[in-house]
Amino acid sequence: MITIRDIAEFVGAVTVMVLMGWLVAWAVVYCLDKEAAQVREGLKDARTAVLPVPLTK
């Protein structure tokens, strides 16, 4: 038999997975974009960048 507690645990687990997925997506978009901007501005060495950054100057 499915109880209210089972449903609450399932909803909690799904919520945690959704939040973790959002956090990963945000980190990839925000942090890697920030790194590319730092390379273009000359604040960070392109050789130490995580991803190849095309120079668009």
Side-chain angles (χ1 to χ4, degrees):
M1 177 188 296
I2 297 175
T3 64
I4 298 290
R5 182 176 178 163
D6 293 335
I7 295 170
E9 288 177 355
F10 178 76
V11 169
V14 170
T15 302
V16 168
M17 288 187 284
V18 167
L19 288 175
M20 292 300 293
W22 179 84
L23 179 64
V24 168
W26 174 84
V28 167
V29 171
Y30 180 79
C31 296
L32 292 182
D33 184 50
K34 188 64 111 175
E35 183 181 53
Q38 289 175 349
V39 170
R40 282 190 220 97
E41 293 169 1
L43 299 173
K44 184 169 186 168
D45 188 359
R47 295 174 293 178
T48 62
V50 175
L51 293 177
V53 178
L55 294 175
T56 56
K57 284 187 177 180

